[in-house]
Amino acid sequence: MIFQPASLAHVGRVGWARELARRLLAEPLPRRWSHTRGVAARAVSVAHIVGGDADRLVCAAWLHDIGYAPGLVATGLHALDGARYLRDVEKAEERLCRLVAHHSYAAIEARRRGLAAELVAEFPPVDGLVADALTYCDMTTSPDGAPVAVADRLAEVITRYGDGDLVAESIKEARAGIERSAAAVRAWGVG
Ligand SMILES: [Fe+2]
């Protein structure tokens, strides 16, 4: 399975994901990098519930927001821009790309941006607990990387973008799904 360049094989796939995220986010977007580190720590803490997807969940946590990196912004839907970069430039495995493409109910924002069809055509959603876990990790981590309740996280996003903004309205629409995902994770006695 091709997962990362052979030259990085010694650091493992989680190390590859972490270093890639660091390279893309740490300098240009330090707050986004802090958030990413918090999401990854959250993922490590719940990874045991997703069985064979454990490493993949942690990789996806490191990489879920790389689509915000200045050089990667293309469509404006960061989940899609990040997934395309992983697929086309990093030659990352398909399931990881699909997780990043759909993290935190990105399909809702995609629809509002007119990108739903291409998102789903290129990256079919991943069903099940690993997708719930990624969303849980993202939606229980503040922009600064601190653990936070889902309700507070959603309120912060809505305040930051403002009522009526496409991102704010998308996250409002995603609320029920996000809460379902969080409940699915907590049913395992974690979080
Ligand atoms: Fe995030």
Side-chain angles (χ1 to χ4, degrees):
M1 176 177 65
I2 297 173
F3 201 91
Q4 73 260 3
S7 61
L8 291 177
H10 65 283
V11 300
R13 55 187 187 172
V14 171
W16 160 78
R18 182 186 63 235
E19 292 311 310
L20 176 57
R22 185 198 308 278
R23 178 166 63 79
L24 292 169
L25 297 174
E27 190 178 332
L29 299 172
R31 197 174 189 216
R32 191 71 66 180
W33 174 235
S34 295
H35 165 73
T36 294
R37 286 187 293 163
V39 175
R42 202 74 149 164
V44 168
S45 75
V46 304
H48 61 282
I49 73 171
V50 301
D53 278 320
D55 274 6
R56 189 171 289 110
L57 171 64
V58 178
C59 289
W62 280 115
L63 297 167
H64 77 284
D65 274 352
I66 61 169
Y68 285 114
L72 271 63
V73 176
T75 66
L77 179 62
H78 76 279
L80 178 59
D81 293 341
R84 282 178 170 167
Y85 178 86
L86 290 172
R87 179 193 63 193
D88 298 339
V89 177
E90 296 293 329
K91 313 299 183 193
E93 61 148 16
E94 181 188 2
R95 189 167 168 83
L96 174 61
C97 298
R98 290 165 56 195
L99 281 169
V100 169
H102 287 276
H103 78 267
S104 302
Y105 295 85
I108 291 174
E109 185 180 327
R111 195 194 71 239
R112 290 174 179 266
R113 291 183 184 275
L115 294 167
E118 55 192 289
L119 176 73
V120 173
E122 293 181 39
F123 302 101
V126 174
D127 291 328
L129 190 61
V130 64
D132 288 329
L134 180 58
T135 291
Y136 166 82
C137 294
D138 189 21
M139 289 294 121
T140 57
T141 303
S142 78
D144 295 309
V148 67
V150 169
D152 293 337
R153 174 79 159 111
L154 295 175
E156 190 282 330
V157 172
I158 292 164
T159 300
R160 177 156 41 104
Y161 286 90
D163 280 325
D165 178 89
L166 188 148
V167 173
E169 295 307 312
S170 298
I171 206 88
K172 288 181 193 175
E173 187 180 339
R175 177 189 298 271
I178 292 167
E179 289 173 347
R180 269 197 309 276
S181 291
V185 171
R186 292 203 181 96
W188 286 75
V190 298

